[in-house]
Amino acid sequence: MTTHSEVSGRVSAPGRATTADDRLLAALLDGMEAALFAVDTAGRITHWNRKAERMLGWSREQAVGRAGLGGWAVREADAADVMDRLLAALRSPAEDGAGRPFQEFPLVRKDGGRILVRAKTTAVREPDGRPTGVYCAFGEAHAQLDLERNLALSEALLGECGSWATVLLDADLRTVAVNDAAAEALAVTPVDMLGEPLGEFFGAGLDELESGLEQALAGQPPAGPVELWLTLLDDGTHEDGFGEPSSGPSGDARRCLVSGFLRLGAPAGPEPAPLGVAWVFQDVTRARRQARGVARRRFRDEQLSRAARAAAECEDPLEAAVLHLHYALPGFADHALLDTVSPKAATLVRTAESPGAFGAASGARGVAVRYRQGHPALQALERGMAVRATGGVSRSSWAVEHRWPKDAEHALCVVLRSRGRSLGVLTFLRGASRRPFDRADAAYGEDVALRVASAVDLHGPART
């Protein structure tokens, strides 16, 4: 039987094969992940690596030196066809790696079982171009197809897939790949995120996102899709169609992303090490905002209807006005103030209020409220339209300066109009834990003000 060293020397160029070369070649072949064997121009087996031993059961000593594959690694009926397809590489012109042909044929294991393999053949040539043999690298066809399907899926998710956004992160949660759908949803370019931590791009909601990614890396991803609200780090201050903050042309600053997390593990080794995690998501912000807007409008309409029914049972019109304030607060504001125009002087008088989260009253009822010039309530009265105001976290005395409860952070002042006259101002207040009033809130506040104005007018019309 021909030894491995003798065959290596014969396949290599004459005069250049040494014992060190043989050992290096043997080590390289045995370290390959693919099974591999080689034949000379006569079809005699010259190489057989350890991967081929493990896959088929035939040892190197049993394989090297055999004349052809028939009767042991291939059925006799298939032997001539398989060998002819292997040696066809010798008849082809010298090709590059991309042009090497694939072959599929059945092999026989030592235990008698058959296995369909997918092989890639390469001709071995002397420096003058004369062929000396053929190398055949092969693997189980089903495993190869699974690998190709996985690669095709990866390419689709990172390339042409438009419905699913995909972000790949390494084990340190730094971005390594972003597809076009993800870049569009997150208002970035794919290059912007590469190598960067997620904290560079997200504000509120980042902790929940990182928690899901870390769970996936630990091998325990969330059981189902997770709905995450993430705030993009953008200084845009515009509003969208629902009155929510917007980051300009790229869309809303807050995004609702239905997310899934997939652990990426290296396939080699008994215990695959995590390569990172894939974050796959869909941007459902618009649908969620629309659904939330519909639910909010439905609730507010119900509150207006309930307030109208309760006010109809009040004998005192002012009591009915206060009832409207009580019903307006849930889900809308933390506090409401009713200031009416004094019939004797052009000043606002505190008539009623509806304490909510702020508790204690902010002023004596029936006493003129000395708002300073330029106060939002006075602006609303002068302009005859709603005025929104926000104090900001850096202005701790803002509410006190405006003679509002100290915890107030956002205000909406709406003028009371009835029979062509301005009867006063209705002020709604929110704390720092809530968002500022938007256009939809102002429209609702005006609806409440219309009902309050009718009750105030019925109680005692003012002259302005």
Side-chain angles (χ1 to χ4, degrees):
M1 181 177 290
T2 306
T3 65
H4 183 72
S5 297
E6 292 170 343
V7 174
S8 299
R10 186 164 60 247
V11 174
S12 301
R16 298 183 60 185
T18 64
T19 301
D21 292 336
D22 293 341
R23 290 175 179 172
L24 176 60
L25 177 60
L28 291 174
L29 295 181
D30 287 340
M32 292 178 63
E33 289 298 322
L36 182 142
F37 69 87
V39 298
D40 60 16
T41 55
R44 185 176 298 275
I45 307 300
T46 61
H47 294 77
W48 193 270
N49 74 349
R50 294 192 185 279
K51 183 72 173 180
E53 290 182 0
R54 291 193 295 269
M55 182 176 294
L56 298 178
W58 301 99
S59 68
R60 178 181 305 167
E61 289 74 16
Q62 293 172 318
V64 173
R66 284 181 180 262
L69 300 169
W72 61 287
V74 174
R75 293 193 313 172
E76 287 289 358
D78 300 326
D81 176 65
V82 170
M83 185 56 64
D84 183 67
R85 290 161 65 184
L86 290 175
L87 297 180
L90 299 175
R91 299 188 291 271
S92 302
E95 66 275 317
D96 57 17
R100 289 177 288 177
F102 278 106
Q103 305 282 348
E104 285 191 5
F105 46 79
L107 295 180
V108 179
R109 294 195 297 263
K110 188 177 182 180
D111 60 7
R114 300 181 72 198
I115 180 174
L116 181 66
V117 301
R118 174 177 266 196
K120 203 169 192 180
T121 57
T122 305
V124 181
R125 302 178 185 275
E126 295 286 0
D128 59 1
R130 182 168 51 88
T132 60
V134 175
Y135 276 98
C136 176
F138 65 94
E140 188 175 358
H142 296 300
Q144 292 290 327
L145 290 175
D146 287 342
L147 176 60
E148 291 178 10
R149 277 191 288 263
N150 291 337
L151 292 174
L153 174 61
S154 300
E155 291 179 358
L157 286 175
L158 291 174
E160 61 205 29
C161 180
S163 58
W164 288 97
T166 305
V167 177
L168 300 186
L169 303 106
D170 61 19
D172 296 323
L173 299 187
R174 291 182 179 271
T175 309
V176 295
V178 181
N179 73 350
D180 292 338
E184 181 179 356
L186 303 179
V188 297
T189 64
V191 177
D192 288 340
M193 295 189 71
L194 295 184
E196 298 292 339
L198 295 176
E200 296 292 324
F201 303 94
F202 301 109
L206 177 62
D207 291 342
E208 290 79 2
L209 172 59
E210 290 184 337
S211 177
L213 294 170
E214 290 168 356
Q215 282 183 258
L217 281 175
Q220 298 178 338
V226 180
E227 191 170 290
L228 298 175
W229 278 94
L230 293 170
T231 300
L232 304 185
L233 292 183
D234 193 290
D235 57 0
T237 57
H238 298 87
E239 293 179 348
D240 65 1
F242 299 100
E244 298 287 351
S246 166
S247 56
S250 60
D252 303 330
R254 292 184 72 237
R255 305 292 174 84
C256 183
L257 308 178
V258 177
S259 305
F261 306 97
L262 305 173
R263 184 177 186 266
L264 305 178
E271 295 183 1
L275 293 176
V277 60
W279 172 30
V280 183
F281 63 89
Q282 279 189 319
D283 187 349
V284 296
T285 306
R286 179 165 294 277
R288 293 296 184 271
R289 289 199 185 281
Q290 289 175 341
R292 190 172 65 177
V294 170
R296 182 171 61 181
R297 287 191 293 271
R298 182 186 300 114
F299 174 76
R300 290 179 177 179
D301 289 343
E302 291 175 353
Q303 288 297 98
L304 290 175
S305 179
R306 293 174 61 192
R309 289 195 299 270
E313 303 300 324
C314 296
E315 296 183 2
D316 184 0
L318 188 57
E319 182 183 353
V322 175
L323 270 178
H324 280 291
L325 300 187
H326 291 330
Y327 278 98
L329 288 184
F332 179 65
D334 298 318
H335 207 84
L337 306 174
L338 174 59
D339 301 324
T340 58
V341 176
S342 171
K344 299 180 179 179
T347 185
L348 291 174
V349 175
R350 177 61 41 80
T351 303
E353 59 185 306
S354 182
F358 301 151
S362 60
R365 298 177 185 175
V367 176
V369 184
R370 293 185 293 179
Y371 290 138
R372 59 177 176 79
Q373 188 175 5
H375 190 281
L378 297 181
Q379 292 182 34
L381 188 64
E382 179 181 353
R383 300 174 185 175
M385 59 185 298
V387 174
R388 289 177 282 166
T390 295
V393 295
S394 62
R395 301 179 58 185
S396 57
S397 61
W398 176 81
V400 177
E401 293 173 355
H402 286 76
R403 298 188 176 277
W404 290 329
K406 63 179 181 179
D407 294 326
E409 189 70 33
H410 313 292
L412 170 64
C413 298
V414 186
V415 64
L416 302 176
R417 295 284 296 177
S418 179
R419 294 192 293 171
R421 296 169 299 167
S422 296
L423 306 181
V425 177
L426 181 57
T427 301
F428 295 101
L429 302 172
R430 288 176 177 171
S433 62
R434 306 189 57 174
R435 60 178 177 80
F437 290 96
D438 54 41
R439 291 196 301 270
D441 293 330
Y444 177 66
E446 290 173 343
D447 286 340
V448 176
L450 287 175
R451 290 160 172 77
V452 173
S454 297
V456 170
D457 193 11
L458 185 61
H459 178 265
R463 297 191 182 95
T464 62

